[in-house]
Amino acid sequence: MNEKNAVVTGASRGIGKSIVLKLAKLGYNIVFNYRSNDEKAKELLEEVKSLGVKCEAIKGDVSVMDDAKELILLCKETFGAVDVLVNNAGITKDNLIMRMKEEDFDSVISINLKGTFNATKQVIPIMMKQRYGKIINISSVVGIAGNAGQANYSASKAGVIGFTKSIAREVGSRGITVNAIAPGFIETDMTKVLNEKIKENVINQIPLKKFGSSEDVANVVGFLASEEANYITGQTINVDGGMVM
Ligand code: NAP
């Protein structure tokens, strides 16, 4: 294949890391960002390079527009194009509404939803010019079904789905597809904090009776980024073991 270039946000660990490795194995050059974990980012950078593709890592906060601009420009200027953008960076700050602090609502919306806006805003002019691009936004099943204790997170992820559909309508005529993935419960640091009782309750609600892996999500990213998914846009694909249907 011709060389293709992908940007992945929030990729020092978890689902983002698996997405980077999946796309690298498919032959994409990669630019990824992360917020704080320099050591993990360096390890991933070396691992990706060992797969024979080019890779750059850049520290930054997706909720800051200048950082998003720097990230997208790094890919454009280093590799000449941005074919794929995966908006993956996300956080949780869970609490019941009675106890949820205003700053915890704001930070979750700011990273999960505005962060998705920021990187997308920066990449759209480049993809419009190319008349080609694939934007893949990582939402969550709780953005569809809601979840007690996650009003901020659910709102941010529902927002990502609405955002995905709107941008898909805006840019479809330019050969750009925009889709979302809604993972269910995936084994990463984000879900490690759940206690055994909550995990057991969750597993009872999953027809496949287990948590997913970050590779389960990365595989769908690989498909949506490929030419095989050219006629799919504005969709949200659940990767959740059947939890929400
Ligand atoms: P994770 O293990 O907590 O990893 C989060 C990653 O995002 C880390 O690489 C972190 O960087 C980075 N990050 C956090 N805030 C950032 C910011 N402001 N700017 C740039 N990077 C930032 O999370 P995960 O479980 O892999 O989740 C990845 C995505 O999938 C998130 O959008 C999450 O909401 C979504 N998701 C996860 C699940 C699940 O069950 N795990 C389910 C549904 C959806 P540092 O390492 O430097 O902190």
Side-chain angles (χ1 to χ4, degrees), residues 78-114:
T78 315
F79 301 145
V82 187
D83 301 289
V84 176
L85 166 65
V86 185
N87 284 306
N88 165 77
I91 61 162
T92 50
K93 292 269 173 78
D94 299 350
N95 227 328
L96 297 171
I97 186 75
M98 292 288 282
R99 287 200 282 263
M100 188 175 286
K101 294 193 195 116
E102 185 182 359
E103 59 262 35
D104 289 346
F105 188 86
D106 287 346
S107 62
V108 168
I109 296 290
S110 179
I111 292 173
N112 299 6
L113 181 56
K114 185 158 177 285

Side-chain angles (χ1 to χ4, degrees), residues 9-16 33-37 60-63 88-91 111-112 138-141 153 157 183-191:
T9 69
S12 50
R13 24 191 193 99
I15 294 171
N33 102 322
Y34 63 101
R35 188 173 49 174
S36 57
N37 206 326
D61 182 343
V62 290
S63 69
N88 165 77
I91 61 162
I111 292 173
N112 299 6
I138 307 300
S139 176
S140 165
V141 288
Y153 184 75
K157 294 299 186 177
F185 282 77
I186 306 297
E187 279 189 54
T188 67
D189 292 346
M190 192 177 266
T191 47

Side-chain angles (χ1 to χ4, degrees), residues 13-233:
R13 24 191 193 99
I15 294 171
K17 177 180 177 182
S18 292
I19 292 170
V20 163
L21 290 170
K22 176 73 191 179
L23 293 175
K25 283 174 192 156
L26 289 169
Y28 290 83
N29 299 318
I30 309 279
V31 173
F32 73 86
N33 102 322
Y34 63 101
R35 188 173 49 174
S36 57
N37 206 326
D38 298 318
E39 204 175 308
K40 292 261 178 236
K42 195 161 176 276
E43 273 171 32
L44 180 61
L45 180 72
E46 295 310 323
E47 192 176 348
V48 172
K49 284 183 179 166
S50 75
L51 294 168
V53 294
K54 296 173 208 149
C55 187
E56 301 280 340
I58 180 170
K59 193 173 185 167
D61 182 343
V62 290
S63 69
V64 176
M65 185 59 95
D66 281 348
D67 288 7
K69 185 174 183 182
E70 212 182 336
L71 168 69
I72 299 297
L73 278 181
L74 178 62
C75 185
K76 170 74 181 150
E77 284 168 5
T78 315
F79 301 145
V82 187
D83 301 289
V84 176
L85 166 65
V86 185
N87 284 306
N88 165 77
I91 61 162
T92 50
K93 292 269 173 78
D94 299 350
N95 227 328
L96 297 171
I97 186 75
M98 292 288 282
R99 287 200 282 263
M100 188 175 286
K101 294 193 195 116
E102 185 182 359
E103 59 262 35
D104 289 346
F105 188 86
D106 287 346
S107 62
V108 168
I109 296 290
S110 179
I111 292 173
N112 299 6
L113 181 56
K114 185 158 177 285
T116 298
F117 164 76
N118 287 346
T120 304
K121 171 133 183 91
Q122 294 301 329
V123 88
I124 283 290
I126 296 168
M127 288 184 172
M128 296 265 251
K129 247 192 184 160
Q130 293 169 179
R131 299 190 82 82
Y132 181 85
K134 308 247 181 210
I135 299 173
I136 300 157
N137 299 323
I138 307 300
S139 176
S140 165
V141 288
V142 308
I144 299 167
N147 195 22
Q150 289 200 303
N152 49 0
Y153 184 75
S154 305
S156 74
K157 294 299 186 177
V160 165
I161 292 173
F163 179 79
T164 299
K165 293 177 183 175
S166 300
I167 307 300
R169 288 186 189 279
E170 283 184 30
V171 299
S173 64
R174 303 298 187 98
I176 304 167
T177 65
V178 191
N179 291 291
I181 296 175
F185 282 77
I186 306 297
E187 279 189 54
T188 67
D189 292 346
M190 192 177 266
T191 47
K192 223 183 246 169
V193 292
L194 301 174
N195 69 41
E196 285 310 311
K197 180 129 186 57
I198 295 179
K199 281 189 185 166
E200 202 183 302
N201 280 340
V202 170
I203 286 172
N204 279 334
Q205 297 167 50
I206 303 173
L208 293 183
K209 297 293 170 214
K210 58 179 182 185
F211 277 31
S213 70
S214 51
E215 289 79 18
D216 290 327
V217 179
N219 288 338
V220 180
V221 172
F223 169 65
L224 287 174
S226 78
E227 308 276 319
E228 288 172 358
N230 278 354
Y231 201 55
I232 301 174
T233 197

